Amino acid sequence: MALSFVFVFILLMFFSFRKFDHLIRYQHTRHHPAWVQDGAPCGYFWRVFRAGSTAHLARTRLAWRWLYHTPPWARASTELLGILWQYRISTVAFYGWLLMGALRGLGRW
């Protein structure tokens, strides 16, 4: 039971991180000024060759912001909106799964 719980947790986390990376890479490639304005964030697996020391902080800020805010450059594309929703759903599921695991560990579930 615990092994399957961990497996689903890692799957959700990996899927969420990959979707976020896809959005960051798209922003870097096609909307570079917006990427710079957002602090030149790196992804979880994708990195710019010369990422600055603030790239991880910018990633964390955007990861939370994109859960409830759609960037203007993503509104024009149904494909990007779909990826953004997949990111949001998988991230909420990931944190929900984490919370459920913590409650199980405390014996409250």
Side-chain angles (χ1 to χ4, degrees), residues 50-72:
R50 293 187 180 186
S53 60
T54 60
H56 297 289
L57 295 172
R59 174 185 65 200
T60 302
R61 191 172 77 293
L62 275 186
W64 285 107
R65 187 186 325 155
W66 286 353
L67 285 177
Y68 57 89
H69 175 75
T70 302

